[in-house]
Amino acid sequence: MEKKLNKIIENNKDLTLEGEVATYIPELGKANAKDLGICIADMEGNIYKAGDYNKKFTIQSISKTISLMMALMDNGKEIVFDKVGMEPTGDAFNSIIKLETIMPSRPLNPMINAGAIVVSSLIKGKDKEEKFNRLLSFMKKISENDNLEIDNEVYLSEKKTGHRNRAMAYFMKDVGIIEGDIEDILDVYFKQCSIKVDCVDLAKMGLFLANQGILPSTGQKLVSEDISRIVKTFMVTCGMYNGSGEFAIKVGIPAKSGVGGGIMASIPHRMGIATFGPSLDDKGNSIGGYKALYELSKELNLSIF
Ligand code: GLU
């Protein structure tokens, strides 16, 4: 298997030159555009890896899948989906436009920034520290990595420049979708996006979802099958930004990408896969990671459709 993965990395190394590293969060601009890594974690406990699989990067939007699991566990489906919808947008992840044009005003899904900020506001805890720490502990459990921590530079960089996210959050407070202190809610959101991971961490999180919310190594059930199903479904319909439809047709697997260059994929009952390549296409998806998943899906017959 590692031979296959090495070949896939080799095939796509040069493709990274065709994309661009995200710079709207200034600190992300320091990433090495040529990095490309991949990891598979399967149900039997095997870990296969290639390329820059052990480089650390910030999880960014991929954290939206984890915060959604927590918000659903904390509040139940009714409360969460009263405040955030279930439909793809066709717009960019940080788009504001539909917030005002759709009535009742609520973000269309939990994978776009507006929806994810609402989701973070629903995580329970007595203050922002407790909320974030609960989320971090949950991530440590499902990645089986006790050393996860935030990248402080990326966190501060986004906190300083996240004006668009701030604008959305204040708008949603105005229309009554969000309750509570906006700066505190954004703090949880910016921190969750700044958690540092590598491909092994993400592949294990993908595996946890593939195994219906049960940690394969211990058999411990941490999330209901229903919640795990909901999250994977959002990954199919909205996980690859406004390129999700094309990805579903070409690659056919539940996946969530982040502007830090990561993609976490989950093949039900089979495996978790992660890729890392900070050079992004025009939709914000890792250009090398996307193509690597495309090739792997063909090679291993992974499409769920
Ligand atoms: N922290 C990023 C933001 O809010 C996450 C975006 C992403 O990865 O799609 O802009």
Side-chain angles (χ1 to χ4, degrees):
M1 180 70 90
E2 282 191 349
K3 236 192 200 162
K4 279 195 177 86
L5 295 184
N6 278 314
K7 177 95 184 6
I8 288 176
I9 296 296
E10 273 321 299
N11 292 349
N12 294 296
K13 231 6 200 174
D14 289 347
L15 191 64
T16 58
L17 302 171
E18 290 175 28
E20 270 175 40
V21 166
T23 50
Y24 78 100
I25 299 172
E27 198 60 28
L28 292 182
K30 295 184 181 164
N32 181 359
K34 291 189 191 151
D35 284 347
L36 190 60
I38 189 164
C39 175
I40 293 179
D42 73 13
M43 302 284 278
E44 289 73 44
N46 300 307
I47 302 279
Y48 304 105
K49 45 212 190 306
D52 300 301
Y53 71 89
N54 59 355
K55 287 228 172 145
K56 291 278 176 194
F57 54 95
T58 52
I59 188 166
Q60 297 298 338
S61 258
I62 302 165
S63 69
K64 293 169 181 173
T65 58
I66 320 294
S67 53
L68 178 60
M69 284 191 254
M70 287 224 73
L72 286 167
M73 285 191 283
D74 282 356
N75 304 276
K77 282 191 278 193
E78 246 168 68
I79 292 183
V80 172
F81 294 122
D82 185 46
K83 293 186 177 293
V84 57
M86 299 184 185
E87 302 303 333
T89 64
D91 301 321
F93 65 97
N94 57 0
S95 175
I96 294 183
I97 190 159
K98 295 228 167 77
L99 277 182
E100 203 182 15
T101 56
I102 286 187
M103 284 297 156
S105 179
R106 59 167 194 180
L108 275 167
N109 70 67
M111 298 293 124
I112 51 171
N113 286 7
I117 293 168
V118 172
V119 167
S120 298
S121 79
L122 293 172
I123 293 173
K124 297 244 155 84
K126 67 174 185 317
D127 52 25
K128 60 180 182 179
E129 281 77 27
E130 189 174 298
K131 289 175 194 193
F132 173 70
N133 285 330
R134 287 188 62 234
L135 187 67
L136 182 62
S137 314
F138 180 59
M139 248 192 230
K140 286 179 177 174
K141 264 193 205 151
I142 65 173
S143 62
E144 302 190 298
N145 182 357
D146 258 346
N147 299 319
L148 292 188
E149 57 182 6
I150 67 167
D151 180 324
N152 214 38
E153 275 72 42
V154 173
Y155 159 61
L156 293 175
S157 183
E158 183 167 4
K159 197 174 167 74
K160 195 166 156 200
T161 58
H163 310 304
R164 182 178 273 260
N165 285 330
R166 232 171 231 113
M168 287 178 212
Y170 278 102
F171 178 83
M172 292 190 288
K173 169 113 181 172
D174 181 64
V175 295
I177 292 283
I178 290 192
E179 286 160 35
D181 185 282
I182 293 300
E183 290 305 324
D184 283 0
I185 292 164
L186 286 170
D187 201 61
V188 174
Y189 173 75
F190 293 149
K191 274 192 179 151
Q192 77 178 58
C193 290
S194 305
I195 294 171
K196 274 186 290 190
V197 289
D198 61 21
C199 286
V200 181
D201 300 324
L202 276 189
K204 285 194 171 176
M205 293 192 215
L207 176 64
F208 170 75
L209 279 167
N211 198 32
Q212 322 284 57
I214 299 172
L215 265 187
S217 57
T218 62
Q220 201 185 354
K221 188 163 188 75
L222 297 176
V223 167
S224 72
E225 202 171 322
D226 194 35
I227 290 180
S228 137
R229 181 187 57 81
I230 290 171
V231 172
K232 282 186 298 240
T233 311
F234 275 123
M235 287 163 74
V236 171
T237 57
C238 329
M240 300 293 284
Y241 304 118
N242 45 334
S244 300
E246 189 177 328
F247 186 82
I249 287 173
K250 287 190 175 159
V251 186
I253 60 181
K256 178 74 198 92
S257 80
V259 291
I263 302 178
M264 173 184 80
S266 179
I267 321 300
H269 313 292
R270 286 181 71 178
M271 61 180 74
I273 311 170
T275 58
F276 166 59
S279 180
L280 309 179
D281 65 18
D282 57 352
K283 305 264 166 62
N285 293 311
S286 167
I287 194 162
Y290 189 123
K291 184 70 183 324
L293 288 172
Y294 172 81
E295 289 183 14
L296 193 66
S297 177
K298 290 269 165 305
E299 180 108 1
L300 302 181
N301 199 14
L302 297 178
S303 174
I304 63 166
F305 301 108

